[in-house]
């Protein structure tokens, strides 16, 4: 039987200093330096994510991290004021994609979601639960 004591996810970035600034200063998450030159990021609720540098990093083609907010519109406004662009899908609503409004918020199926990028090009989202 498989009996782990804990678990965490991780993703790569091409510039750990830029990631530290973005996740720690811009988004205000708690970060700890790892002895391997990586970061341990603590998410709201206490979960941890391992962020590691990778020389040949390629941004994920999927959402690597989702932030839950009670008010997605207010969260998007906050992100935009911090300089984070949430309108990353310019041709939304085509070929099966969700239609997004001028702020990048998609609505449907009982939820709202907006996507944005970290400095390494990884896709993140803010959504209502």
């Amino acid at each position: 039987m498989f009996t782990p004591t804990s678990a965490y996810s991780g993703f790569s970035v091409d510039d750990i200093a830029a990631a530290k600034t973005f996740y720690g200063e811009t988004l205000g998450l708690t970060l700890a330096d790892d002895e391997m030159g990586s970061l341990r990021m603590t998410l709201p609720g206490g979960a941890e994510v391992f962020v590691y540098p990778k020389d040949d990093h390629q941004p994920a083609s999927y959402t690597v991290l989702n932030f839950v907010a009670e008010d997605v519109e207010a969260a998007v406004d906050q992100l935009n004021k911090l300089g984070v662009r949430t309108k990353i899908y310019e041709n939304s609503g085509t070929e099966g994609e969700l239609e997004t409004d001028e702020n990048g918020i998609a609505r449907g199926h009982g939820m709202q979601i907006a996507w944005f990028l970290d400095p390494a090009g990884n896709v993140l989202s803010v959504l209502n639960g």
Side-chain angles (χ1 to χ4, degrees), residues 62-84:
Y62 53 88
T63 307
V64 299
L65 190 56
N66 298 286
F67 295 95
V68 178
E70 288 183 29
D71 185 338
V72 173
E73 289 185 24
V76 164
D77 287 344
Q78 291 170 341
L79 286 167
N80 291 167
K81 286 178 185 169
L82 292 168
V84 178

Side-chain angles (χ1 to χ4, degrees), residues 19-31 41-44 67 79 82 84:
K20 191 173 190 175
T21 299
F22 179 76
Y23 288 104
E25 295 177 22
T26 304
L27 298 186
L29 299 173
T30 301
L31 303 175
M41 179 169 50
T42 303
L43 302 175
F67 295 95
L79 286 167
L82 292 168
V84 178

Side-chain angles (χ1 to χ4, degrees), residues 35-124:
E35 62 271 0
M36 296 187 311
S38 304
L39 298 172
R40 292 239 177 220
M41 179 169 50
T42 303
L43 302 175
E48 281 193 351
V49 176
F50 181 65
V51 181
Y52 57 94
K54 186 175 179 197
D55 291 337
D56 61 348
H57 166 78
Q58 293 294 315
S61 61
Y62 53 88
T63 307
V64 299
L65 190 56
N66 298 286
F67 295 95
V68 178
E70 288 183 29
D71 185 338
V72 173
E73 289 185 24
V76 164
D77 287 344
Q78 291 170 341
L79 286 167
N80 291 167
K81 286 178 185 169
L82 292 168
V84 178
R85 195 182 98 168
T86 52
K87 177 77 172 167
I88 64 170
Y89 298 117
E90 298 299 332
N91 297 318
S92 65
T94 60
E95 300 180 26
E97 291 182 25
L98 293 173
E99 180 90 24
T100 60
D101 66 15
E102 65 277 357
N103 291 320
I105 301 172
R107 294 172 170 79
H109 307 289
M111 69 181 299
Q112 296 177 358
I113 183 169
W115 294 272
F116 56 102
L117 302 175
D118 76 359
N122 293 313
V123 180
L124 313 174

